[in-house]
Amino acid sequence: MNEKQLIESCIKGDRKAQKELYDTYARKMMSVCFRYAGEYELAKDLLQEGFIRVFSNLNAYQFIGSFEGWVRKIFVNTSLEYLRRNDLLREALDIDTNISVNVKTENTVIEELSAEDLMKIISELPPGFRTVFNMYAIEGYSHKEIADILGITESTSRSQLTRARMLLQKRINELL
C-alpha cells in the first residue's frame, strides 16, 4: 500500500491502516515530542495527543508536499500549545542573563558525545530555551517565525537561542 492509499484507508476508518501509519511515524514523532517536553512521560502524552490530531485532520491533507513534514508540523504545534497552555515558555525569560561559559574550541568535543547524550542535555534546558533551540536549530524556523508562533519578539527569540547555546556549551564542557 503506497502512502496515498494508506492515508485514504485511514480516513475511511481502517484500523490496520491507522496502526501502520502510527507504527511508521511514532518513533520519529516521539523524538519531536521529547525534544520539546524534556521528559519521557509528558512526551508520551504529547505523542498521543498529536496522533489524535493527525487522525482527526487527515482529510485536510492535500497530498501536496511531504506527508511526514505535515505530520511533524502537527506534533511541533501540539508540543508548543502544551508549553503555552502551561505557561512554561515564560520561565526562561526570568533566568539570569549573566551566564558565563568557558568554551572548549576543540572539534572533538561533539564527537565524544553520542546523539543520546546530546538529546539528554537539550532536554535539561529550561522550557523556553529548549523550545527556541528546537525550533531554530532542529526544525529550521527563522527567528521571525518563532516570534510569530510563540508571541515573542525576534530579539527575544535570538537571546533565548544564544542563552540555550551557552547553557548547552557549559553542560557539554562539564561532561568532558
Side-chain angles (χ1 to χ4, degrees):
M1 184 178 318
N2 69 31
E3 187 176 84
K4 185 173 183 177
Q5 291 169 329
L6 178 66
I7 293 166
E8 289 171 345
S9 294
C10 287
I11 291 170
K12 291 176 185 171
D14 181 336
R15 296 287 182 212
K16 279 186 173 181
Q18 291 171 342
K19 172 133 176 47
E20 184 178 336
L21 189 132
Y22 177 88
D23 290 343
T24 301
Y25 294 103
R27 188 176 179 100
K28 289 178 184 178
M29 295 310 118
M30 181 63 174
S31 294
V32 170
C33 294
F34 184 75
R35 280 199 320 269
Y36 285 95
E39 58 183 72
Y40 181 72
E41 291 302 317
L42 176 55
K44 283 184 3 184
D45 291 345
L46 292 172
L47 182 73
Q48 180 179 349
E49 186 175 335
F51 270 110
I52 290 169
R53 290 179 182 192
V54 166
F55 288 120
S56 297
N57 293 294
L58 268 178
N59 56 345
Y61 180 63
Q62 303 282 318
F63 298 96
I64 299 171
S66 161
F67 179 66
E68 183 176 333
W70 183 83
V71 170
R72 177 180 295 274
K73 187 171 185 172
I74 288 174
F75 280 90
V76 168
N77 287 335
T78 299
S79 299
L80 292 175
E81 286 174 24
Y82 172 83
L83 293 172
R84 268 195 298 270
R85 198 171 48 239
N86 291 285
D87 214 22
L88 295 174
L89 295 174
R90 221 165 269 179
E91 287 178 16
L93 296 174
D94 299 330
I95 293 179
D96 185 13
T97 61
N98 298 321
I99 302 169
S100 64
V101 180
N102 180 17
V103 179
K104 290 184 181 182
T105 57
E106 303 168 17
N107 289 337
T108 59
V109 171
I110 298 299
E111 294 169 5
E112 293 177 28
L113 293 173
S114 69
E116 186 176 310
D117 291 333
L118 286 173
M119 291 307 294
K120 182 174 181 339
I121 294 168
I122 292 169
S123 74
E124 293 170 352
L125 288 171
F129 291 179
R130 182 176 59 242
T131 301
V132 171
F133 181 83
N134 282 325
M135 292 179 77
Y136 185 86
I138 297 173
E139 304 295 340
Y141 286 96
S142 69
H143 287 295
K144 179 172 180 8
E145 291 170 320
I146 294 169
D148 291 344
I149 291 168
L150 299 182
I152 59 177
T153 65
E154 286 183 56
S155 62
T156 299
S157 176
R158 283 190 203 87
S159 68
Q160 295 283 303
L161 178 63
T162 299
R163 293 175 190 164
R165 285 179 172 164
M166 292 171 70
L167 285 173
L168 287 171
Q169 289 171 342
K170 181 177 180 183
R171 184 70 177 116
I172 290 168
N173 287 334
E174 290 170 356
L175 290 175
L176 301 177

